[in-house]
Amino acid sequence: MSHPTTRILALLELLQAHHRLTGADLAQRLDVDERTIRRYATRLAELGIPVQADRGRYGGYHLLPGYKLPPLMFTDEEAVAVVLGLLAGARLGLSTAAPAVDSALAKVQRVLPAQLRERTAAVREALDFTLAPREARAPGTGTLLVLGEATSRRRRVRLTYRSYQGQDSERELDPYGLVFHHGRWYVTGHDHHRADLRTFRLDRIGEATITEHTFTPPAEFNPVQHVTQSLAGVPYAWEVQVTLHTTLDEARKRIPASTATLTDTEDGVLLRTRAERLDGMAMMLAGLGWSFRIHHPAELKEEVRSHAARLVAASEH
């Protein structure tokens, strides 16, 4: 955004999106000094756009109340950013509704100049991903918006929830944060029903309503860390403990926090996790490429031996 005209248009967009912004704030956002902001505002006024500048401690720049601007055209950079963002969101399963991506792309294409529309369409057709599409469990758009607002305003929500076992319950939750992880949306916070920190999948939430109760989240609470640790502790059938003969840094590069808990020890890295199937755990351990020692369960040792035998048999064909 180096060209002055681009920055002037960006200034206009910021003033349209915000009630009032100070010169210092605008200068920081546009990476210029405040004198340049004054010059840009003067230029907009010369073009007939009513930008008002107020002096004093609470002064700043704003558009004349009631003035509405027509939609602005996208620059090449903005158009590409929007199109790529929509395509990536659909690929990752980030969208709440699949038709919304296609309809949004169609609307963006309609407002672009002919040449830019053709070029972005060409990028869309030519683009491919190394990442496989996520089979996402999309939450309701209304649910996501309610929880986003409640988290931002620090308001308790009342919601209905269906567990993975199909049991319905009503909860009151202080939402500390929203997290998107591996194709699924989660909300984490204080569950008053259990009087504890809990994590809920948004696609299992029925109704969600903001209440008048406010809350203060714990200092330095990390929603991403809490969600990934919660997922690592999901009560699958087998509890597994294995020492990996590698360093903690190397283990963290290969094993996601949502898969297992990793602890540095004198003998290596202690991996704690749970698994529904031990044959899958044996394949995972073999694929890491490190030697290891199985502490628990004993049945995992037999699964590792069986997996090794299958590999030997396959290599002899």
Side-chain angles (χ1 to χ4, degrees):
M1 195 170 61
S2 59
H3 196 278
T5 302
T6 304
R7 283 199 176 98
I8 291 173
L9 292 175
L11 171 62
L12 185 54
E13 284 283 5
L14 289 170
L15 293 178
Q16 188 178 13
H18 299 272
H19 175 66
R20 182 188 304 272
L21 289 171
T22 66
D25 192 11
L26 289 167
Q28 181 179 10
R29 291 171 184 248
L30 299 179
D31 194 24
V32 297
D33 55 38
E34 292 188 48
R35 180 179 298 179
T36 303
I37 293 297
R38 289 195 293 271
R39 188 167 67 249
Y40 289 169
T42 300
R43 181 57 180 153
L44 288 174
E46 292 172 350
L47 294 172
I49 298 172
V51 177
Q52 295 186 339
D54 299 328
R55 296 181 180 275
R57 180 180 177 183
Y58 300 103
Y61 295 87
H62 63 93
L63 293 175
L64 185 69
Y67 182 81
K68 297 297 183 181
L69 291 167
L72 295 177
M73 300 303 294
F74 288 108
T75 65
D76 288 12
E77 292 82 2
E78 291 169 341
V80 171
V82 171
V83 171
L84 293 181
L86 288 168
L87 293 175
R91 190 75 172 192
L92 294 171
L94 189 61
S95 306
T96 58
V101 174
D102 291 333
S103 61
L105 281 169
K107 290 177 180 179
V108 170
Q109 292 290 86
R110 283 200 300 270
V111 302
L112 296 179
Q115 183 179 9
L116 186 53
R117 180 169 61 248
E118 293 174 2
R119 297 179 73 183
T120 55
V123 171
R124 181 182 177 185
E125 293 173 4
L127 181 65
D128 208 344
F129 294 82
T130 58
L131 179 67
R134 290 282 185 188
E135 295 183 2
R137 302 290 182 88
T141 300
T143 299
L144 179 61
L145 293 176
V146 166
L147 291 173
E149 179 184 355
T151 302
S152 177
R153 297 174 57 194
R154 298 185 178 181
R155 292 290 186 88
R156 187 179 305 172
V157 292
R158 185 176 296 111
L159 55 86
T160 58
Y161 190 73
R162 173 163 292 186
S163 70
Y164 72 96
Q165 298 170 326
Q167 298 175 338
D168 294 325
S169 62
E170 293 186 0
R171 307 293 181 101
E172 289 197 357
L173 177 72
D174 296 343
Y176 296 159
L178 292 169
V179 176
F180 180 79
H181 178 68
H182 284 193
R184 290 174 178 168
W185 284 92
Y186 299 89
V187 60
T188 184
H190 181 78
D191 177 16
H192 290 267
H193 180 72
R194 296 286 183 89
D196 197 6
L197 284 172
R198 304 284 290 182
T199 296
F200 299 95
R201 275 175 43 180
L202 265 64
D203 60 294
R204 291 179 178 161
I205 294 177
E207 297 182 1
T209 306
I210 298 177
T211 72
E212 295 300 318
H213 298 283
T214 61
F215 65 88
T216 300
E220 300 181 359
F221 180 79
N222 188 324
V224 171
Q225 183 180 34
H226 181 75
V227 168
T228 53
Q229 289 178 349
S230 297
L231 295 178
V234 171
Y236 292 122
W238 297 94
E239 182 179 351
V240 176
Q241 293 187 21
V242 178
T243 293
L244 306 173
H245 298 144
T246 186
T247 65
L248 184 60
D249 288 341
E250 289 298 317
R252 284 173 172 169
K253 293 177 183 177
R254 302 285 300 277
I255 303 172
S258 59
T259 302
T261 300
L262 302 174
T263 306
D264 199 10
T265 69
E266 294 182 357
D267 299 326
V269 177
L270 179 62
L271 177 150
R272 294 188 182 93
T273 187
R274 302 189 72 95
E276 193 65 29
R277 294 171 58 97
L278 291 181
D279 55 348
M281 178 58 60
M283 293 174 62
M284 188 272 282
L285 290 172
L288 291 174
W290 305 312
S291 60
F292 55 86
R293 178 186 176 191
I294 297 172
H295 302 288
H296 183 80
E299 290 86 349
L300 180 55
K301 297 180 181 180
E302 185 59 36
E303 286 293 346
V304 170
R305 296 189 187 100
S306 297
H307 180 62
R310 289 192 295 270
L311 290 177
V312 170
S315 68
E316 294 176 348
H317 288 294

